[in-house]
Amino acid sequence: MLNQDIAKAFNEIADLLEIKGENPFRIRAYRRAAQNIESLGRDIADMSEDEMIRIPGIGKDLAGKIREFVEKGRIERLEELRKEVSPGLTEIMTVPGVGPKTAKVIFEELGISNIEELEVAARQGRLQGLPGIKRKTEENILRGIEMLKRGRERQPLGKVLPLAEEIVARLKRVRSVRKISLAGSLRRWKDTIKDIDILATSTNPTEVMNAFVNMPEVEEVLLKGPTKSSVVLGEGLQVDLRVVEEDSFGAALQYFTGSKAHNIKIRERAVKMGLKINEYGVFRESDGKKIAGRTEEEVYQAIGLPYIPPELREDRGEVEAAEKGVLPELVEIGDIKGDLHVHTRYSDGSHGIEEIALFAKSLGYRYIAITDHSKGLGVAGGLTAEQVMEQVKEIQAINRKIKNFRIFMGVEVDIRSDGSLDLPDEVLSKLDIVIASIHSGFRQSVGQLTMRLLSAIKSPYVKIIAHPTGRLIGERDPYEVDMVQILQMAKENSTALEINAYPLRLDLNDRYAREAKEMGIPLVISTDTHITEQFRFMRYGVHVARRAWLESKDILNTKDIKELERFLKSRKKT
DNA sequence: GCCGTTTTCGGCCCGACTGTTTTCAGTCG
């Protein structure tokens, strides 16, 4: 998808303009456009210029630049800027604490244009004495380089959230803490996280800050004040804690939950209404009187909007939807009635069928689908046709035993590298549910991978495509497939797409899932459970769905058994 | 560069912390 490349180009233009000291609002315009393009669910290359202009933050000029990039693979303005500004400057700016001004001084005075040279110069004390730079700043820069080396990449939500929840639980035990909540991208359930934001109220802020910076995992204290402190954990993860007054908690929570783009939007709206929003509350411009701030609901109400759930706050149309009163009724974890992707000991799962079914029932589920791997996946102990039929018999027997619960007989059939399915049709036709997925040949061409998925989608027996893009966050990029074609084919065949809730997958992601919803494609949220504890991953999947604006009615495993069966028994057109 | 309940020009979100400064600039989120 070209979107990421265009976003990257626009961000680079913004960096270069920043170094040149250009109009900050123009710079912001490029960054905003980049962000909005990145979050688009469809390929911008397929859009007409008129359609592009309807994307917020994109006007005539940027639409022209996008077209230029699509057609020529380059943007003339960017090439010019690259000639004007030394490439080293943007590199230096990637060091935390070094912005455009500092980078420029260092480059112009010392001729330093890469991070290695910068580190050497800082170690030799050669930065001291430059305008605005003394010993402390030099130390900061060295620290910034260290942090950069340790890699401050975004980390998977599934890794960060448990850690963050633990920190919150620990701070909750500090006696003076009243309210405490996660904020930032964690509260919005973004699939990757750069740092942990926590917000609290306290009768003794100093006590909280002390407890915070003295936690055992803290490797380094970046800054510490009475209302704001930042630390770095052993894993290289930054944690920010803000402490505010009780009657500002809602405003602060709204503020620190972001996203930045969402906040800018609502503050602009506030300004137009003669109001000002900051982390302390909503204030009347005329007399400075505070009119809201204790709760987030109050804040939104003060600017004439209904409450907007955190997962939607990405400036992807949620403010406009709130204005019109057409926000979606987002799916909730309690709406989920079953899990349609479950493994057992028959392949690479850890439990027997009855055991895992009873566990699912104890969670309040009404049904599960047993979907072990097929034989092509040798490493996972995939099943032959005969083994599948044995499993079917066992499931039938257990279904007679367990009351008020239903086990659907299924399989996760491997899509072979030529696009054929790993089990014969006469086996697939005997099952309640067939999900299909790719587990090999990831490096095939776009055309081949797309063809494989398309032919699985078309199969009259395949009801669901599992983890459609195959990504493993931080480990493996999504397959290069033509999602436009895949979504179209899924729609034509009413083949459902899975939101795989396994925290490293979260696949489909929020953008594609939203596009799928808008096209009317059925979706399921499944955990791909291999061991009972993994049923708890469902919350990750539900939150991806919420970020995708999905409502309960868009998701198959919120349906009761009868309605789900109707879908499973429906015939495809083909 | 975008955008319109101060509409086609002139605005554009807001504040904390740090360091180098005697009142503020830079950076970050």
Side-chain angles (χ1 to χ4, degrees):
Chain A
M1 191 135 115
L2 265 180
N3 296 15
Q4 312 303 322
D5 299 321
I6 294 169
K8 217 172 126 196
F10 280 2
N11 273 322
E12 190 181 344
I13 292 177
D15 283 343
L16 294 167
L17 291 175
E18 203 169 12
I19 293 167
K20 290 189 63 188
E22 289 236 7
N23 179 353
F25 298 108
R26 173 175 298 163
I27 295 163
R28 208 183 85 192
Y30 274 103
R31 292 204 202 282
R32 182 165 129 84
Q35 208 194 358
N36 289 344
I37 291 167
E38 233 176 353
S39 66
L40 234 48
R42 49 182 289 214
D43 207 325
I44 201 165
D46 299 332
M47 290 188 180
S48 69
E49 218 156 295
D50 277 347
E51 284 178 296
M52 288 183 204
I53 286 171
R54 265 180 258 133
I55 301 169
I58 295 182
K60 216 166 177 314
D61 184 279
L62 290 184
K65 288 194 168 71
I66 293 166
R67 185 119 314 272
E68 185 187 353
F69 190 91
V70 171
E71 280 165 11
K72 301 185 189 150
R74 51 184 269 151
I75 299 172
E76 198 46 44
R77 181 81 185 106
L78 175 57
E79 302 300 325
E80 285 168 23
L81 283 166
R82 281 177 175 162
K83 278 185 205 133
E84 287 173 50
V85 181
S86 160
L89 276 170
T90 41
E91 184 180 327
I92 297 179
M93 269 175 65
T94 60
V95 177
V98 178
K101 296 289 186 329
T102 314
K104 207 168 168 202
V105 168
I106 292 170
F107 176 72
E108 285 177 354
E109 303 277 330
L110 299 175
I112 287 170
S113 61
N114 63 57
I115 291 172
E116 291 76 47
E117 286 173 21
L118 179 64
E119 184 172 5
V120 171
R123 290 206 189 286
Q124 292 172 344
R126 286 196 287 129
L127 302 183
Q128 294 185 39
L130 297 181
I133 299 179
K134 290 203 164 165
R135 188 176 58 84
K136 284 274 196 179
T137 305
E138 197 173 65
E139 283 171 9
N140 265 341
I141 289 174
L142 279 173
R143 217 162 0 142
I145 293 173
E146 280 310 309
M147 272 173 66
L148 202 62
K149 280 187 184 163
R150 239 184 352 213
R152 288 228 33 218
E153 307 149 11
R154 305 190 71 91
Q155 304 205 32
L157 173 69
K159 190 181 157 204
V160 179
L161 185 62
L163 191 64
E165 286 173 334
E166 210 179 303
I167 293 174
V168 167
R170 169 131 21 89
L171 291 175
K172 221 177 238 172
R173 289 199 292 271
V174 174
R175 205 168 309 136
S176 65
V177 167
R178 288 286 168 268
K179 291 186 174 139
I180 184 159
S181 170
L182 286 173
S185 51
L186 269 174
R187 185 159 176 257
R188 305 198 312 277
W189 293 78
K190 228 175 119 98
D191 53 16
T192 60
I193 301 293
K194 199 160 65 102
D195 46 37
I196 299 173
D197 291 295
I198 302 172
L199 182 73
T201 64
S202 168
T203 51
N204 183 354
T206 318
E207 186 193 30
V208 186
M209 289 306 187
N210 285 337
F212 177 63
V213 300
N214 288 313
M215 295 187 302
E217 315 76 333
V218 171
E219 188 138 296
E220 190 181 348
V221 179
L222 293 176
L223 48 90
K224 184 184 174 217
T227 67
K228 175 181 177 177
S229 297
S230 296
V231 300
V232 179
L233 305 184
E235 294 83 356
L237 204 60
Q238 184 172 327
V239 191
D240 297 334
L241 172 64
R242 310 282 303 224
V243 177
V244 298
E245 296 288 330
E246 198 82 18
D247 71 342
S248 294
F249 186 74
L253 189 57
Q254 195 289 317
Y255 183 92
F256 293 113
T257 296
S259 67
K260 199 167 171 169
H262 172 86
N263 283 357
I264 289 174
K265 196 68 139 302
I266 72 154
R267 271 175 257 156
E268 278 169 357
R269 180 182 169 87
V271 168
K272 277 174 203 144
M273 298 171 70
L275 301 168
K276 186 180 78 166
I277 301 181
N278 58 28
E279 62 260 57
Y280 303 109
V282 183
F283 299 86
R284 265 206 304 257
E285 201 60 69
S286 52
D287 56 3
K289 187 174 154 37
K290 178 165 165 177
I291 60 166
R294 185 162 281 272
T295 65
E296 279 192 321
E297 284 80 358
E298 246 182 58
V299 172
Y300 284 103
Q301 197 184 16
I303 55 169
L305 296 179
Y307 179 76
I308 300 177
E311 297 93 328
L312 296 184
R313 301 181 196 167
E314 298 287 350
D315 190 19
R316 294 180 188 168
E318 73 281 4
V319 177
E320 292 80 355
E323 280 166 357
K324 293 191 202 118
V326 294
L327 282 173
E329 287 248 0
L330 297 181
V331 59
E332 290 174 13
I333 188 93
D335 297 337
I336 300 295
K337 295 207 172 70
D339 197 325
L340 299 179
H341 190 162
V342 174
H343 294 274
T344 72
R345 267 203 295 268
Y346 272 81
S347 64
D348 58 349
S350 307
H351 307 283
I353 297 169
E354 184 169 358
E355 185 184 4
I356 205 153
L358 287 172
F359 189 88
K361 192 181 175 204
S362 77
L363 294 177
Y365 284 163
R366 306 302 312 278
Y367 49 82
I368 56 171
I370 298 295
T371 55
D372 276 306
H373 293 288
S374 62
K375 64 184 192 301
L377 206 60
V379 284
L383 307 188
T384 62
E386 295 72 39
Q387 290 169 316
V388 171
M389 295 323 292
E390 271 173 46
Q391 197 182 33
V392 163
K393 277 193 202 131
E394 186 181 344
I395 291 173
Q396 286 169 336
I398 296 171
N399 263 333
R400 282 191 292 270
K401 240 165 78 182
I402 304 181
K403 298 295 163 209
N404 299 320
F405 191 79
R406 171 73 181 273
I407 306 171
F408 290 105
M409 303 178 292
V411 71
E412 179 180 11
V413 64
D414 196 44
I415 304 171
R416 295 201 194 110
S417 61
D418 63 357
S420 65
L421 298 174
D422 194 31
L423 287 169
D425 283 355
E426 56 267 29
V427 174
L428 300 182
S429 67
K430 295 201 174 79
L431 300 172
D432 296 322
I433 182 167
V434 174
I435 65 185
S437 58
I438 288 181
H439 292 99
S440 61
F442 306 132
R443 284 194 204 85
Q444 288 181 337
S445 69
V446 180
Q448 271 176 303
L449 278 162
T450 305
M451 176 279 289
R452 286 166 75 183
L453 284 170
L454 292 180
S455 73
I457 292 169
K458 274 189 287 193
S459 156
Y461 305 107
V462 171
K463 291 297 172 187
I464 302 171
I465 300 293
H467 42 76
T469 79
R471 73 161 174 179
L472 291 172
I473 299 170
E475 289 174 21
R476 186 171 72 211
D477 286 337
Y479 320 134
E480 293 208 28
V481 290
D482 184 339
M483 273 315 259
V484 174
Q485 274 195 65
I486 286 167
L487 292 173
Q488 191 56 40
M489 187 65 81
K491 178 187 159 85
E492 283 166 22
N493 288 276
S494 292
T495 304
L497 299 178
E498 176 187 87
I499 295 173
N500 189 293
Y502 189 77
L504 284 189
R505 289 194 183 271
L506 304 183
D507 170 18
L508 290 179
N509 67 20
D510 51 1
R511 291 182 287 118
Y512 289 138
R514 183 168 174 192
E515 186 72 16
K517 169 197 165 132
E518 278 164 16
M519 292 175 71
I521 298 166
L523 289 142
V524 297
I525 310 173
S526 303
T527 59
D528 206 342
T529 293
H530 287 71
I531 182 167
T532 48
E533 284 75 40
Q534 292 178 342
F535 275 124
R536 306 197 190 286
F537 290 158
M538 186 57 83
R539 62 176 184 151
Y540 291 96
V542 168
H543 283 281
V544 171
R546 290 170 63 88
R547 286 178 59 82
W549 294 49
L550 299 193
E551 306 186 308
S552 170
K553 65 178 167 57
D554 302 315
I555 296 160
L556 288 173
N557 52 318
T558 61
K559 316 277 185 204
D560 57 31
I561 293 178
K562 280 233 152 58
E563 209 175 336
L564 180 60
E565 272 183 326
R566 251 200 303 282
F567 171 79
L568 294 176
K569 288 190 174 143
S570 65
R571 286 267 177 81
K572 293 191 182 180
K573 278 185 293 185
T574 42

